Amino acid sequence: MASLATLFLRLFTVVFTLFSLTVTAEDCIRRDYGRTSFVCVCNATYCDTAPSVGALAAGQAVQITSSQSAARFQATNLQFGRTSSNKAVITNEIFIDTSITYQNVLGFGGAFTDAAGINIARLSQAAQDNLMNSYFSSRGIEYGVARVPMAGTDFSTRTYSYDDYPGDVTLSNFALTEEDLVYKIPYINWAISLSSKSIKLFSSPWSAPAWMKSNNEFYGQGYLLGEYYQVWADYFARFFEEYSKFGLNFWALTAQNEPVDGRVPGFPFNCMGWTSENQSIFVGLNLGPTLQAKGFGDVKIMIMDDQRNYLPEWAETVLANPDANPYVSGIGVHWYQNFIAPPSVLTTTHEMFPDRFILATEACEGTFPKETVVLGAWDRLESYATDIIENMNNWAVGWVDWNLALDEGGGPNWSENFVDSPIIVNNTIDEFYKQPMFYAMGHFSKYVPENSIRVNIDILNDTTLIGTAFVLPDGNRAVVILNQSDDDKTILLNDAERGALEIPCEARSMHTILYG
């Protein structure tokens, strides 16, 4: 009998340990800057990690929690069927229906800007390792999408292009710069080496060389001169050729970052103006055919890459052009003018063009006139989480943040357009700080992988509780919820195939619930 008991105990220990190992992680070292929440401090010797969750048996559940008061990726084991006999404790109900399906998920990520690379490079090698793992490895939040600017942006230390030789229509002087060779390419390759999955790269230009433009400047009101449409298309191909020499191949591109910016008189940083009509001509007669001819026909072209209030009209115009239509795979959207148009315009656009994907390609907090960097701002987690949930619930396939890392002033930025970032670097003491926004991103990027399928979710009678739901490629389900109220809640999650799951949900908190 003793040997049988010992065997049972060992078996129980193995099973319990295997399950526990899936939800362990290094804790956050908190630092409070007197704002609405706290940051997690990382350095050369320590950094908190994100718990990985493996296969779950039917009825098993893991709740990953971040809260304004205390938690960052705190893991709790739950079980379907273990609900309170006192129905009065249930404050909210969520209903999941996996028989109603929507879009496949592409992924979540951020941008390898010059500023991001400059800031990462200012850290010690060991601290850099912790930062890069935080974003890209299984110890971190496992980003699967990355945006790469073509040459300079405002988040550069200078204005530049890859061919600043006026009249060089053959692009004989085209060359990558120090920014690419030191601050972008090495970190992109490092991210790829850390990742267990393929990272989808997409490029975006801010401006053509100044000599190709109507105003002969990188910024301000100006557009690409007609005689340089083909040269500009060749420039895209050269960019892909040069990056391919470093083993980097691109999944997609956007034809222009924020094409409306360059139509604004006095616009203060890198831009180039396009109308939807002109973009359709360039894509249809120049960019699409050139990429096809140069061996880059598999690079997907996204149009617009601007504020959602320009939808659906922008997509209608471009896709009505029979030359452009075959080359366009998707539509990029930014969040900076969301107050003008509701997220439902994404659904309207999807219903008009169901064979073209919608990707949220840029967002950041701290834009003018807001305070730039706010260390520990919980409301910025809520703004990120809200936008991601609204976008996903309106057919977006993913959501891409702006700079991976900035300094404590929100830069560098040559035009002083400083903003916030999920990671803030303090190189003077070799530390970096994970903002609440970092965890908002991770609640999706870590736990809702590529090829997950969004399914139906209904939340009863509560506008302060929002969420979205998915079936994952491994068969697990994921529900991401945000409690924006100042009240603790007890939520009953109802899944027609799994039963009921009781979920504690404290005030001002975000959760990813994973279950088998």
Side-chain angles (χ1 to χ4, degrees):
M1 291 295 291
S3 62
L4 183 61
T6 301
L7 180 63
F8 176 80
L9 179 61
R10 286 176 179 172
L11 179 62
F12 176 81
T13 301
V14 168
V15 172
F16 180 79
T17 302
L18 283 173
F19 185 72
S20 298
L21 281 173
T22 65
V23 291
T24 58
E26 299 297 324
D27 289 337
C28 163
I29 296 179
R30 296 170 52 173
R31 183 176 296 165
D32 192 331
Y33 284 88
R35 309 309 285 251
T36 52
S37 192
F38 56 89
V39 300
C40 296
V41 181
C42 296
N43 54 36
T45 59
Y46 186 86
C47 197
D48 61 294
T49 58
S52 294
V53 177
L56 296 168
Q60 282 185 325
V62 176
Q63 178 181 7
I64 309 295
T65 297
S66 298
S67 65
Q68 181 181 33
S69 63
R72 294 292 186 268
F73 291 157
Q74 175 183 302
T76 306
N77 293 341
L78 302 175
Q79 185 73 39
F80 273 81
R82 295 179 183 170
T83 58
S84 172
S85 58
N86 180 9
K87 297 300 182 183
V89 305
I90 303 299
T91 57
N92 299 84
E93 285 196 80
I94 295 175
F95 293 87
I96 306 299
D97 188 346
T98 60
S99 70
I100 302 174
T101 60
Y102 303 94
Q103 76 275 27
N104 279 29
V105 172
L106 175 76
F108 306 87
F112 284 95
T113 59
D114 296 349
I118 288 168
N119 280 299
I120 297 169
R122 287 171 175 165
L123 293 167
S124 68
Q125 191 63 35
Q128 288 185 46
D129 185 69
N130 278 333
L131 190 154
M132 293 295 290
N133 274 281
S134 292
Y135 270 130
F136 297 104
S137 81
S138 59
R139 289 163 46 194
I141 60 175
E142 299 188 71
Y143 272 3
V145 184
R147 192 182 191 203
V148 183
M150 284 175 55
T153 74
D154 50 321
F155 282 93
S156 302
T157 57
R158 63 189 180 103
T159 57
Y160 68 93
S161 80
Y162 297 131
D163 194 334
D164 291 324
Y165 293 83
D168 183 18
V169 296
T170 63
L171 301 178
S172 59
N173 294 292
F174 186 102
L176 299 181
T177 65
E178 178 187 12
E179 286 85 351
D180 298 276
L181 301 175
V182 177
Y183 297 121
K184 285 194 280 200
I185 290 171
Y187 291 107
I188 298 169
N189 272 319
W190 191 355
I192 291 169
S193 73
L194 292 172
S195 179
S196 62
K197 57 190 175 186
S198 174
I199 295 176
K200 285 182 161 53
L201 302 177
F202 73 95
S203 64
S204 299
W206 266 245
S207 176
W211 55 269
M212 294 188 193
K213 296 172 62 181
S214 60
N215 63 340
N216 197 35
E217 257 302 354
F218 287 102
Y219 51 89
Q221 186 178 29
Y223 55 87
L224 185 70
L225 294 171
E227 60 262 37
Y228 296 125
Y229 272 37
Q230 185 53 48
V231 182
W232 183 228
D234 294 337
Y235 185 105
F236 277 77
R238 284 297 307 276
F239 172 79
F240 294 136
E241 287 169 0
E242 293 302 317
Y243 264 66
S244 71
K245 294 175 182 177
F246 296 89
L248 297 176
N249 299 305
F250 282 75
W251 158 75
L253 63 84
T254 70
Q256 172 65 44
N257 174 72
E258 298 187 351
V260 175
D261 289 353
R263 294 159 57 188
V264 177
F267 195 81
F269 56 84
N270 314 54
C271 60
M272 187 161 68
W274 295 86
T275 64
S276 53
E277 292 86 353
N278 286 340
Q279 186 170 89
S280 74
I281 294 168
F282 172 66
V283 169
L285 298 182
N286 304 102
L287 183 59
T290 298
L291 294 179
Q292 195 77 43
K294 299 282 188 178
F296 300 106
D298 59 339
V299 177
K300 298 183 185 301
I301 296 176
M302 285 182 273
I303 57 171
M304 202 175 80
D305 198 22
D306 212 323
Q307 317 312 321
R308 73 185 183 201
N309 51 287
Y310 304 128
L311 290 175
E313 291 79 11
W314 194 284
E316 287 183 278
T317 300
V318 176
L319 294 173
N321 183 321
D323 295 316
N325 186 294
Y327 293 112
V328 176
S329 296
I331 302 160
V333 295
H334 294 188
W335 83 338
Y336 303 106
Q337 293 174 193
N338 279 0
F339 59 92
I340 298 176
S344 59
V345 299
L346 303 182
T347 291
T348 300
T349 304
H350 166 78
E351 289 172 347
M352 295 173 68
F353 308 104
D355 56 343
R356 317 303 163 106
F357 66 82
I358 300 170
L359 177 65
T361 47
E362 184 187 313
C364 68
E365 268 288 0
T367 53
F368 181 83
K370 295 180 182 179
E371 187 176 358
T372 52
V373 174
V374 181
L375 292 173
W378 183 260
D379 57 297
R380 294 187 173 182
L381 173 146
E382 291 185 342
S383 69
Y384 267 45
T386 297
D387 197 67
I388 299 171
I389 289 168
E390 289 179 347
N391 274 259
M392 301 307 290
N393 285 348
N394 284 277
W395 292 94
V397 298
W399 203 92
V400 183
D401 185 39
W402 190 204
N403 301 276
L404 289 171
L406 293 174
D407 64 26
E408 292 175 291
N413 184 296
W414 74 262
S415 65
E416 300 185 357
N417 180 36
F418 305 120
V419 300
D420 211 340
S421 173
I423 285 182
I424 296 298
V425 170
N426 179 355
N427 69 290
T428 59
I429 52 176
D430 199 33
E431 289 183 342
F432 63 92
Y433 312 127
K434 293 180 180 176
Q435 295 269 51
M437 293 176 287
F438 175 89
Y439 299 90
M441 293 298 301
H443 273 279
F444 289 93
S445 63
K446 177 76 173 181
Y447 304 110
V448 184
E450 182 182 2
N451 293 322
S452 298
I453 301 171
R454 183 169 71 90
V455 296
N456 199 64
I457 182 171
D458 287 312
I459 300 175
L460 299 187
N461 305 321
D462 191 344
T463 58
T464 64
L465 186 70
I466 60 174
T468 188
F470 307 87
V471 173
L472 310 186
D474 64 2
N476 286 351
R477 289 101 191 268
V479 180
V480 185
I481 56 176
L482 177 68
N483 179 9
Q484 303 170 88
S485 79
D486 294 323
D487 300 318
D488 293 342
K489 300 176 185 290
T490 300
I491 299 167
L492 193 65
L493 185 151
N494 300 279
D495 184 300
E497 297 178 352
R498 298 292 186 264
L501 178 69
E502 191 172 301
I503 303 167
C505 183
E506 68 177 278
R508 298 288 176 185
S509 61
M510 184 174 182
H511 310 263
T512 302
I513 298 95
L514 299 153
Y515 61 94

